[in-house]
């Protein structure tokens, strides 16, 4: 441990304290305690080039205890990490300038309260909601192994990156981290290292009030390697731990660090150190203790920038340039693979991938949208080799297993497999898939719609991060039937639709499913939720109907009054569209002019120009009936004051589907009746 | 193991197979494998009187692997458990008649697809979503310990019940069970026994594809006692395990049972045994293997009912009648405690509890609704001694710690404490609190609104079960400020409001908080979510305004145009009501007649007679502006076609609150402008 090591660690601590003090807001406790660990990792181990923070083979650093963001901001600043634009061009300006640090937690600062992916380069994933970071890191490690298996060649090690995640007691208590750790242990992800900041403090007090389990023993039970650092200030001990990790080839590693929250401050080892500035005097006292000038704010001693440049900077530059040279040769020998990798990095798809999409012939009996989606997924995954994913132990039901030759399982010893078994671990599944998407693969996971509840925390983050995670949810309504109300979603659609930036698709038939996948596969910055039926849905004969390509506009006229001037509009999604079609026929036979609008994706429809929206839903036609086997919340926007909504107002029930449709009123007769009433009032 | 033991076990298996075969739907695997374990527990150990399935000191049995419901239905039938009406009167009719078993999974059968609390007596909690049952069982065990500490006296052991939960691999993989197990281990809940049905099979295949952790070691790490049953068909081994549990005084116990899914059937030990009927021939073959008549359906051999009556029936009757005799003496010596217990069982409150509720004087500066709620909670908890709860490690922020004399902590060795530390375990917290509510205490838990996502699975179950769990959520909007978008809820309100039966309250000032607690405390069959601000809200001067008691009707006129005939209505909830009031003043000064409607609880408003609703929102006044710092989903219903909504269309941002209000347009000026525009159009 050199003087410059000590000075660097304390410089980080000083920057964190000052940023938080200036903001009058933030969490100094962890940065003070863990600065030596983060410093050692970055300066001595991390294979990361600040001049190119999106170099594909960089080691990933995830700050799972995201409230300690000041620690990350300080590192990004001191190491000179460069900014990256939305099209993945590295820019000249720094990701975090000193002025950003000085405007920590202020509007538009590159240093917000918690690390935000895509807003500040060098942030590998958005964290703050505890447990998400560690779970996401598992997905990055999986992606690393998969990329290595697919693209490395005897003479070319393009991928061998490691993934580090820094986690606190909170992360360890969250169920999502247990799920993710169990999965990582099973998968023997030896490129994964979690660093557990064990400071024995949580917000309500010492962890001994609620968290007395033996974490090391728990991780051994998961099949992890565990090593302990007894003193978070001992850089050599810390280094030994990381060497232990790097030498491990069959297990993920937990580095358990005994640390002191708020180290050096008057509130060291107290819950008070967690989430509030130390105060001006507290900051000064701490700086005095650390041997730093007490009155200098945002103080960066001479030589510190250079020290980082000679450490992580020089190491990263050499590794990256070596990699780039290697890649030139690789492209010469393996042009197809190189092309794939370049597309992956730019989030582009293979030329002509859409040609693989099937179409489905008209079929009054039809098939469940989970089945048609399963078929389309096979085609998409064949056409786009980096589409991969799995299910939370429901693949036979969600129909998401890739079954073509070579798809295989991703397992220890089978790293090029494209089917993952997430186990009954929905929350981790969604977070793991986020981690894979952050590594720029095109991953999906699947489960029953009801269990989107379990995964909501990670679904939300995919939307906040603007990454194209694909969430596939089947068994989407009372259509579940006998399994009953515990398994029948009612409110989930509303919750997902209310999530900003998430595209929610509920396709009505097999060809809408095709069009949904066409849109979803091409997404680069938006996650999607596919909401699919358990039960069979007729495949419409489109010769007399609106084309399924209308999915891309969110809603479209599926069937219209012969005159094109309907008296009443029937709006529906998914399985209820065929119900609306049946009512439409009934009304037509009575001489009532009706239109059926299929609305598979509200979010896309809301983005259309008013002209299109008014074409689909002419303002003059106020007699409108919406039908959806879900909470009615949100439909008023489309049916308006003159409209009616047929939906769910209670939970469902356990019975065969037909009985449920009658019980809850999802019949063509009731729909037609509602339409008739509105027309006669009009 | 007697012949009657064997015959009973196989009778259960036969009933399960037949019920599932007849329904053409269901999960036979676990009932076949675990019938001997469930049988042994019920017949030899469970202190449960079928003639009074709500006897307060009964042992609780939770079928956490709820898909195995046929197992429970068979037991409820064979033991003759009686039905109970919604007012807790035990009825003469059986809970599960043979005809119910024969109509398994059909509409209105008492034997639905998964166990549903309140629908079938003997079901202690609704299960099906994996992990919920075990987590809920922790709350029941806590409640048992707390009831014992509060109400037992030297000569009176009114409470010493045990809680058993039967869990499968799926339950063990879910994060919620890890959270709950860690908490139970910390709390040393020696009255808790989880039975782990380890059959090594999940839906996607053998568990070795994803679940290879050492579960026993993991539970030892949590501080549990672990004992193993190597053969699920060995009733004596099973009995020894339960004796081990009952002898344990300092730890919860995990009984790890090596079992065979689909035991005796042609698909034994295969994933095919999990979730589909065996088929007519498969059922026959299995019955033959078990030595049962292959062609007899729903076969209950002579003597079996009597055998159960002499086992669990006689034991339960004796224990219950002894308890009731004891209670008569107890009432004589401890009339106040007896009175409390009787109220608890009927879900009634102490006389005059409402007198404890404070009122808050007008105060333009005011206080955060989390703070006023904290104060009201103290009063409620003092008046209702069985109100208790805690926070998911956020009590200092959510203000939910009971601080009065004697409130104390619930910890090992301190079982009468009323403050629980759930740790950073939101999902388990909500499920644990459900378990306490099912034991008829009046519990609450708290966290930030954003983390309601993590707990949604358990929140939903509180609504489905119709139990009065209180979910307290603070930091309810961009009002969170600097912590940024990861901590600022946007879509959570919509998701909660869409949940059938959940009352969602977002009070506008301290006196609305009081009225919210008045409603919530009195709830007997409905859960509530309290949505509270981090930031201070003015306490309105009600002398010129609508009374806060309007909360009970969900929405009410807070301020009106002097004429009582507004040109425009401003609708708002929570922190935005004061914004609406400021806009109202601005409009008034301009001569525009406006009304402010505070809408703290949509669900209650929707239940009011049309007359009241039209009084508050006169249909003739179509100029309406709603404002809420959340997704706009659902507001259209109240503002109508002529209205406008000021809400959130993106995620929030990290900055001080004032900057955020400007950025996202939550200002009186913008609101007034929106109102002006509507009025001028009108």
């Amino acid at each position: 441990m050199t003087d410059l090591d000590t000075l660097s660690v304390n410089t980080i601590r000083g920057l964190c304290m000052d940023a938080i003090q200036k903001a009058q807001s933030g969490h100094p406790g962890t940065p003070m305690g863990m600065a030596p660990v983060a410093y050692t990792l970055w300066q001595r181990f991390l294979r990361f080039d600040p001049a190119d923070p999106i170099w594909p083979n960089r080691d990933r650093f995830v700050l799972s205890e995201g409230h300690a963001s000041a620690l990350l901001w300080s590192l990004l600043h001191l190491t000179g990490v460069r900014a990256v634009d939305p099209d993945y061009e590295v820019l000249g300006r720094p990701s975090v300038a000193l002025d950003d640090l000085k405007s920590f937690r202020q509007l538009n600062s590159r240093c917000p309260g918690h690390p935000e992916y895509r807003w500040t380069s060098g942030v590998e994933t958005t964290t703050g909601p505890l447990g998400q970071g560690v779970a996401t890191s598992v997905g990055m490690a999986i992606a690393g192994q998969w990329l290595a298996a697919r693209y490395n060649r005897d003479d070319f090690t393009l991928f061998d990156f490691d993934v580090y995640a820094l986690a606190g007691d909170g992360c360890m208590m969250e169920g999502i981290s247990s799920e993710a750790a169990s999965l990582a242990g099973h998968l023997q992800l030896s490129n994964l290292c979690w660093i557990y900041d064990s400071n024995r403090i949580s917000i309500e007090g010492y962890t001994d009030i609620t968290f007395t389990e033996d974490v090391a023993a728990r991780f051994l039970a998961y099949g992890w390697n565990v090593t302990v650092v007894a003193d978070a200030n001992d850089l050599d001990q810390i280094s030994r731990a990381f060497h232990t990790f790097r030498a491990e080839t069959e297990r993920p590693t937990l580095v358990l660090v005994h640390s002191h929250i708020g180290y050096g401050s008057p509130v060291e080892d107290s819950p008070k150190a967690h989430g509030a500035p130390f105060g001006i005097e507290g900051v000064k006292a701490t700086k005095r203790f650390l041997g730093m000038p007490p009155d200098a704010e945002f103080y960066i001693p001479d030589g510190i920038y250079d020290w980082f440049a000679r450490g992580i900077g020089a190491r990263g530059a050499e590794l990256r340039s070596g990699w780039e040279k290697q890649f030139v040769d690789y492209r010469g020998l393996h042009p197809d693979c190189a092309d794939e990798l370049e597309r992956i990095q730019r989030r582009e798809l293979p030329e002509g991938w859409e040609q693989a999409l099937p179409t489905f012939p008209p079929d009054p009996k039809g098939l469940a949208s989970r089945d048609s989606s399963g078929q389309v997924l096979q085609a998409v995954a064949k056409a786009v080799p980096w589409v991969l994913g799995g299910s939370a132990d429901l693949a036979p039901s969600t129909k998401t297993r890739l079954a073509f030759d070579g798809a295989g399982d991703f397992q220890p010893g089978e790293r090029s497999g494209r089917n993952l078994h997430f186990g009954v671990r929905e929350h981790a599944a969604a977070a793991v898939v986020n981690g894979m998407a952050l590594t720029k693969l095109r991953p999906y996971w699947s489960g029953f719609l009801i269990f989107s509840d379990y995964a909501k925390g990670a679904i939300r983050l995919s939307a906040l991060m603007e990454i194209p995670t694909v969430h596939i949810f089947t068994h989407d309504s009372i259509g579940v039937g006998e399994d009953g109300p515990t398994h029948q979603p009612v409110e989930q659609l509303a919750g997902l639709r209310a999530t900003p930036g998430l595209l929610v698709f509920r396709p009505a038939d097999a060809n809408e499913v095709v069009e949904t996948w066409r849109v979803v596969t091409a997404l680069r910055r938006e996650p999607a939720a596919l909401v699919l039926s358990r039960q069979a849905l007729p495949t419409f004969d489109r010769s007399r109907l609106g084309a399924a390509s209308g999915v891309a506009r969110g809603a479209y006229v599926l069937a219209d009054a012969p005159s094109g001037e309907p008296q009443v509009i029937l709006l529906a999604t998914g399985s209820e569209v065929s119900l609306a079609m049946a009512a439409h026929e009934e009304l037509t036979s009575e001489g009532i002019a009706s239109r059926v609008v299929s609305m598979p994706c509200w979010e896309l429809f809301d983005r259309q120009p008013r002209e299109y929206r008014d074409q689909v839903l002419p303002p003059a036609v106020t007699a409108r009936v919406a039908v959806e086997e879900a909470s009615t919340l949100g439909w008023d926007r489309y049916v308006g004051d003159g409209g009616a909504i047929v939906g769910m107002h209670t939970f469902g029930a356990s019975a065969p589907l037909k009985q449920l449709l009658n019980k809850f009123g999802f019949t063509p007769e009731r729909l037609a009746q509602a339409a008739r009433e509105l027309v006669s009032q009009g």
Side-chain angles (χ1 to χ4, degrees), chain A:
Chain A
M1 185 154 173
T2 68
D3 287 353
L4 274 166
D5 284 327
T6 307
L7 198 59
S8 299
V9 169
N10 289 334
T11 298
I12 293 169
R13 286 172 167 149
L15 290 175
C16 291
M17 281 192 283
D18 289 340
I20 292 163
Q21 186 59 40
K22 183 149 191 287
Q24 296 282 326
S25 171
H27 300 76
T30 292
M32 299 306 288
M34 291 300 280
V37 177
Y39 165 77
T40 304
L41 176 61
W42 280 59
Q43 178 72 342
R44 298 187 184 174
F45 291 88
L46 208 66
R47 295 174 296 176
F48 178 91
D49 183 1
D52 184 358
I54 57 170
W55 169 45
N57 195 35
R58 70 192 180 277
D59 286 347
R60 268 66 172 177
F61 174 77
V62 171
L63 185 70
S64 193
E65 41 185 352
H67 51 272
S69 60
L71 179 59
L72 183 56
W73 305 144
S74 301
L75 284 163
L76 294 180
H77 175 69
L78 292 171
T79 57
V81 170
R82 303 260 291 278
V84 177
D85 81 2
D87 287 320
Y88 312 118
E89 289 298 317
V90 178
L91 305 175
R93 68 172 175 82
S95 174
V96 171
L98 197 58
D99 279 345
D100 291 308
L101 263 178
K102 289 180 180 171
S103 60
F104 178 52
R105 292 182 157 236
Q106 308 307 301
L107 199 60
N108 300 324
S109 168
R110 294 288 162 181
C111 298
H114 291 81
E116 294 181 32
Y117 176 75
R118 95 193 139 67
W119 176 245
T120 316
S121 75
V123 173
E124 301 284 7
T125 181
T126 297
T127 53
L130 295 176
Q132 295 291 340
V134 283
T136 303
S137 76
V138 173
M140 295 175 181
I142 289 170
Q145 301 260 9
W146 187 86
L147 286 164
R150 181 169 179 88
Y151 295 107
N152 287 357
R153 292 294 180 272
D154 283 348
D155 297 328
F156 297 96
T157 302
L158 289 185
F159 293 99
D160 62 354
F161 65 80
D162 291 322
V163 182
Y164 298 88
L166 186 57
D169 289 300
C171 288
M172 290 299 170
M173 283 189 256
E174 291 286 4
I176 185 177
S177 68
S178 295
E179 294 177 4
S182 174
L183 179 61
H186 166 76
L187 289 174
Q188 302 177 17
L189 299 174
S190 59
N191 58 338
L192 179 66
C193 179
W194 288 5
I195 305 155
Y196 169 29
D197 166 25
S198 175
N199 59 34
R200 299 193 180 78
I201 297 292
S202 63
I203 290 174
E204 292 186 4
Y206 297 92
T207 51
D208 62 8
I209 60 174
T210 190
F211 186 54
T212 47
E213 63 173 59
D214 182 339
V215 174
R218 182 178 125 206
F219 275 74
L220 290 169
Y222 293 141
W224 285 51
N225 179 26
V226 177
T227 184
V228 175
V229 172
D231 177 359
N233 284 310
D234 184 336
L235 270 54
D236 292 334
Q237 241 191 88
I238 298 164
S239 290
R240 274 199 297 278
F242 289 128
H243 281 301
T244 300
F245 157 62
R246 298 195 61 173
E248 170 65 49
T249 59
E250 294 189 335
R251 296 174 294 179
T253 294
L254 180 74
V255 177
L256 193 163
V257 181
H258 292 291
S259 67
H260 294 273
I261 194 169
Y263 177 79
S265 77
V267 290
E268 179 178 328
D269 284 336
S270 140
K272 288 179 192 159
H274 169 73
F278 293 152
I280 291 171
E281 290 311 312
V283 170
K284 282 186 189 173
T286 311
K287 287 180 180 172
R288 258 182 237 113
F289 172 85
L290 297 172
M292 302 290 279
D295 293 310
E297 291 179 6
F298 297 96
Y299 174 60
I300 298 169
D302 286 348
I304 290 296
Y305 288 118
D306 183 57
W307 175 242
F308 278 101
R310 286 188 285 140
I312 181 173
R315 186 176 62 250
E318 189 185 334
L319 287 164
R320 199 243 310 175
S321 68
W323 190 92
E324 287 177 349
K325 280 190 203 106
Q326 196 188 23
F327 193 73
V328 172
D329 297 340
Y330 182 87
R331 190 189 288 113
L333 284 165
H334 309 287
D336 292 349
C337 286
D339 176 69
E340 286 188 15
L341 282 171
E342 285 170 338
R343 287 176 192 273
I344 289 173
Q345 296 311 316
R346 293 191 307 261
R347 291 204 182 282
E348 292 171 358
L349 299 169
E351 297 294 332
W353 69 273
E354 287 178 278
Q355 290 162 18
L357 292 173
T359 54
F360 290 84
D363 179 356
K365 200 181 154 213
L367 70 173
S369 50
R370 61 172 169 155
D371 284 310
S372 51
S373 175
Q375 292 181 35
V376 180
L377 173 59
Q378 303 296 326
V380 167
K382 267 192 229 172
V384 185
W386 51 98
V387 165
L388 73 173
S391 169
D393 195 40
L394 290 170
S397 295
T398 58
K399 313 289 183 182
T400 49
R401 184 172 174 81
L402 302 182
F404 49 83
D405 271 359
D409 271 11
F410 181 91
Q411 289 286 3
E414 301 172 53
R415 297 304 198 193
S416 61
R418 292 169 64 183
N419 287 291
L420 287 140
H421 296 285
F422 293 116
V424 188
R425 305 176 180 115
E426 297 83 3
H427 204 175
V432 164
V433 167
N434 283 345
M436 294 164 70
L438 287 162
T439 321
K440 297 192 183 161
L441 303 179
R442 291 292 278 122
Y444 63 87
W445 77 283
S446 70
F448 291 167
L449 179 58
I450 194 73
F451 300 127
S452 66
D453 277 355
Y454 278 35
K456 177 65 182 12
I459 297 168
R460 177 176 219 262
L461 279 187
S462 69
L464 180 53
M465 291 194 281
E466 300 180 5
I467 54 173
T469 303
V470 180
H471 310 275
I472 301 176
F473 299 121
T474 67
H475 295 61
D476 70 346
S477 69
I478 54 169
V480 166
E482 290 90 342
D483 272 345
T486 54
H487 286 59
Q488 292 164 351
V490 172
E491 72 276 27
Q492 283 65 27
L493 268 173
L496 295 173
R497 285 174 176 154
T499 306
L502 178 69
L503 300 181
V504 182
F505 293 86
R506 192 165 184 254
D509 80 342
N511 288 308
E512 281 199 11
V513 167
V514 174
E515 297 308 312
T516 295
W517 274 104
R518 190 189 306 275
V519 174
V520 166
T521 306
L523 293 172
R524 298 176 72 213
R525 303 189 202 282
E526 286 159 303
L530 274 61
V531 177
L532 305 168
S533 76
R534 171 178 186 250
Q535 72 275 24
L537 310 178
T539 306
F540 299 120
D541 180 351
R542 300 270 172 177
S543 59
R544 303 174 303 113
L545 300 174
S549 57
V551 169
R553 309 197 76 168
Y556 65 100
V557 179
L558 177 63
D560 209 356
S563 63
E565 288 183 3
Q567 298 165 271
V568 59
I569 303 174
L570 305 170
L571 301 86
T573 75
S575 49
E576 287 71 76
V577 173
S578 53
L579 206 65
M581 288 296 286
H584 167 72
E585 279 169 31
E586 198 172 316
L587 293 166
T588 305
S589 73
E590 295 169 19
I592 297 175
S594 67
R595 165 180 291 187
V596 175
V597 171
S598 179
M599 293 199 69
C601 182
W602 292 12
E603 298 78 19
L604 288 179
F605 183 61
D606 291 348
R607 290 181 199 172
Q608 301 306 311
R610 169 157 294 280
E611 194 190 346
Y612 178 77
R613 284 182 286 135
D614 287 351
Q615 231 173 287
V616 176
L617 301 175
V621 187
T622 57
R624 302 178 184 182
V625 183
V627 56
E628 190 169 57
E629 291 171 7
S631 163
T632 61
L633 205 80
W635 272 109
D636 298 86
R637 180 166 305 173
Y638 303 110
V639 300
D641 293 350
I645 310 168
V646 177
M648 293 292 292
H649 299 278
T650 64
F651 290 106
S654 170
L657 176 56
K658 274 191 187 167
Q659 294 180 30
L660 293 177
L661 295 178
N662 277 315
K663 176 180 168 72
F664 294 107
F666 295 99
T667 61
E669 298 73 37
R670 180 170 166 210
L671 219 57
Q673 182 55 26
R676 253 179 241 119
E677 282 169 19
L678 290 182
V679 168
S680 69
Q681 284 163 20

